[in-house]
């Protein structure tokens, strides 16, 4: 047994002799009650101690709400608002765009002629078909079949436009 163990036992024995709870004298409670506002003066110590934190909490709630609102406003000012994410066009969509550009150039290269009414419905039908295929490519950007159909539609539209120009009597 070491000398520290005997000191430890002695301290433990002395701690056990101390009272479990100490209650301040009545004059201390009277002094505390005198410092409280008139509405909160209570002679029971448990009630006086319980009412003090409640009163402080009521006085601080506007400050907490104000700080919370300021923090939320600061967060809104600092954090950028999310912008709807539009995915980058796929390779197929870029090819469709390039094909549309080439088609527009080919049409522009044709001499401008007044197409007769007999050709207009077929030309409009092919234009509507090309628009529908482009919309389908946007929904399904991996469909090589749709790209082939778009190419076929543009080729038919170009050929039909050339025939319409020839029938109007203009050179191609």
């Amino acid at each position: 047994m070491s000398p520290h163990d005997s000191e430890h036992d002695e301290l433990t024995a002395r701690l056990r002799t101390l009272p479990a709870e100490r209650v301040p004298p009545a004059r201390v409670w009277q002094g505390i009650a005198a410092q409280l506002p008139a509405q909160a003066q209570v002679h029971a110590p448990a009630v006086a101690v319980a009412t003090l934190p409640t009163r402080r909490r009521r006085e601080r709630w506007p400050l907490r709400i104000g700080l919370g609102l300021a923090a939320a406003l600061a967060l809104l000012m600092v954090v950028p608002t999310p912008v709807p994410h539009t995915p980058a066009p796929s390779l197929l969509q870029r090819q469709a765009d390039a094909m549309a550009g080439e088609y527009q150039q080919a049409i522009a290269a044709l001499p401008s002629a007044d197409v007769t009414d007999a050709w207009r419905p077929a030309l409009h039908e092919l234009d509507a078909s090309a628009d529908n295929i482009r919309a389908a490519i946007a929904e399904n950007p991996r469909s090589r079949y749709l790209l082939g159909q778009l190419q076929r539609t543009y080729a038919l539209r170009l050929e039909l436009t050339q025939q319409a120009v020839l029938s109007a009597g203009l050179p191609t």
Side-chain angles (χ1 to χ4, degrees):
M1 192 156 132
S2 72
H4 295 294
D5 289 338
S6 63
E7 288 176 19
H8 178 67
D9 292 338
E10 183 184 325
L11 285 175
T12 305
R14 287 178 54 195
L15 283 173
R16 286 188 185 136
T17 61
L18 292 174
E21 186 177 316
R22 292 190 63 184
V23 178
R27 62 182 164 78
V28 173
W29 289 118
Q30 289 171 354
I32 292 172
Q35 293 176 357
L36 295 175
Q39 66 184 22
Q41 283 188 2
V42 180
H43 298 290
V47 176
V49 170
T51 57
L52 185 60
T54 306
R55 182 172 169 261
R56 284 186 183 157
R57 238 182 282 136
R58 268 188 267 135
E59 290 173 355
R60 285 188 263 171
W61 76 267
L63 175 65
R64 289 181 180 163
I65 289 177
L67 289 174
L69 289 173
L73 182 61
L75 184 64
L76 285 175
M77 297 297 283
V78 172
V79 176
T81 54
V83 178
H85 177 66
T86 55
S90 69
L91 176 64
L92 205 74
Q93 288 172 316
R94 290 191 305 258
Q95 288 174 339
D97 291 342
M99 194 182 301
E102 290 171 6
Y103 163 73
Q104 293 296 331
Q105 288 175 354
I107 290 291
L110 291 174
S112 59
D114 228 3
V115 178
T116 62
D117 290 338
W119 295 96
R120 286 183 209 267
L123 294 173
H124 288 300
E125 184 68 30
L126 287 170
D127 288 340
S129 180
D131 291 342
N132 289 337
I133 294 170
R134 294 289 305 268
I137 288 174
E139 287 181 25
N140 189 1
R142 293 184 177 166
S143 176
R144 288 243 168 248
Y145 173 77
L146 290 173
L147 188 63
Q149 289 294 58
L150 184 63
Q151 185 177 15
R152 184 177 151 265
T153 303
Y154 282 151
L156 285 173
R157 174 62 162 89
L158 192 56
E159 184 180 330
L160 194 62
T161 305
Q162 288 172 342
Q163 289 176 9
V165 169
L166 284 176
S167 72
L170 294 175
T172 54

